[in-house]
């Protein structure tokens, strides 16, 4: 009987080792071809004197609608989920350090900061984020948002300002020596204007100058090949975490987009997300809800990105709490104003661990090419 017990124990250990080694993600360094959109625009009363972004107006569907009021913040947040770190400030060194560790553990390589010029709280937090990212082996890039008056000329000014302020920091992202910039809603400016900035013979061209960078535009609609071919963008990303919300965010189109990118010497970055829900701030927007389905939604989208044979992946998002696309830990919470969603039956940090797994699969797929 004793011998049988030893055999059973040995078999159990063997099975456990097999399960562990075949189901865990490889422990490795952050992957500098994995980008994660990070929102450094949150503030609270303790550090910033007011609730910023945790408090938010409830948005109208049209200008004719009546005022829908606002969400105050604190325990009543402008989000369908509740953060494990509560209503934190993006200027809190402890919070930023925790966030950078979470992303490093998830093998995310590049933190992509939202950029609104001087119109957002996030500007103050950038030096802190760079320093903490550097400690964890992460890099930082920028996502230029459609602020009022944005143009090819103002984007040139943004590039110049960002490079001047942060370009020498060791955490500033470069690939093959060049910084990368993501341009949200790039289609709002016609390709003719972009050529003045992105073609070598343009009037305000950055090409072959100290401002020469890799420019990634947003592919939204079907038929944008001409825009990206003529404008001078180096590549394109899809951003939206809601599948089939746009042509670009439809995984069924990613093989074509990757093939087109390869043929035209462009970079394709499919973006994946864990789900989508923004009905706290847009109560009329139920049509865009994408259920997380206990993690299966994220798995399907990440798998589709890898099957497209793209070398890069974007994650939407680390902490866009308004739109419910966050992979940051969320916890159960109930307030008189709202009963929040959470990731149950999954753990609060499930999406971080699952990201590490999928980044490992992406790295393996690159090696197999």
């Amino acid at each position: 009987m004793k011998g049988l017990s030893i055999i059973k124990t040995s078999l159990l250990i063997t099975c456990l080792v097999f399960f562990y080694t075949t189901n865990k993600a490889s422990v490795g360094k952050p992957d500098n071809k994995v980008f994660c959109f990070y929102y450094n625009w949150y503030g609270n009363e303790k550090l910033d004197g007011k609730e910023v972004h945790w408090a938010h107006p409830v948005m109208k569907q049209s200008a004719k609608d009546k005022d829908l009021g606002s969400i105050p913040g604190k325990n009543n947040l402008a989000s369908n989920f509740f953060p494990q770190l509560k209503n934190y400030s993006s200027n809190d060194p402890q919070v930023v350090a925790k966030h950078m560790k979470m992303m490093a553990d998830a093998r995310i390589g590049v933190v992509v900061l939202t950029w609104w010029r001087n119109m957002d709280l996030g500007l103050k937090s950038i030096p802190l984020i760079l320093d903490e990212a550097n400690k964890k082996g992460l890099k930082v890039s920028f996502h230029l948002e459609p602020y009022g008056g944005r143009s090819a000329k103002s984007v040139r000014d943004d590039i110049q300002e960002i490079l001047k302020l942060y370009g020498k920091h060791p955490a500033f992202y470069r690939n093959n020596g060049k910084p990368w910039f993501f341009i949200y809603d790039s289609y709002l400016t016609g390709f003719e204007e972009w050529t003045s900035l992105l073609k070598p013979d343009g009037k305000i061209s950055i090409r072959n100058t100290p401002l020469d960078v890799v420019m990634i535009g947003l592919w939204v609609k079907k038929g944008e090949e001409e825009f990206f071919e003529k404008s001078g963008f180096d590549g394109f990303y899809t951003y939206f975490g809601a599948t089939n919300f746009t042509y670009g965010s439809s995984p069924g189109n990613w093989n074509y987009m990757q093939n087109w990118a390869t043929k035209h010497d462009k970079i394709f970055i499919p973006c994946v997300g864990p789900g989508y829900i923004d009905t706290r701030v847009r109560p009329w927007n139920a049509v865009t809800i994408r259920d997380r389905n206990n993690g299966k939604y994220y798995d399907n989208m990440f798998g589709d990105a890898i099957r497209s044979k793209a070398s890069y992946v974007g994650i939407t998002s680390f902490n866009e709490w308004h739109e419910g696309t966050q992979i940051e830990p969320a916890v159960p919470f109930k307030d008189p104003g709202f009963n929040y969603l959470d990731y149950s039956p999954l753990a609060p940090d499930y999406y971080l661990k699952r990201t590490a797994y999928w980044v490992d699969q992406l790295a393996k797929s690159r090696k197999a090419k």
Side-chain angles (χ1 to χ4, degrees), residues 91-102:
N91 293 310
D92 186 334
Q94 291 184 343
V95 167
V96 173
K98 288 177 181 178
H99 282 174
M100 297 304 116
K101 184 180 187 304
M102 288 176 189

Side-chain angles (χ1 to χ4, degrees), residues 191 195 199 224-233 260 263-266:
F191 73 80
T195 61
K199 291 289 187 177
E224 294 206 49
E225 293 89 341
E226 182 181 30
F227 175 89
F228 285 104
E229 183 65 20
K230 292 185 175 180
S231 61
F233 274 94
W260 188 88
K263 290 177 182 177
H264 294 82
D265 196 27
K266 304 289 183 184

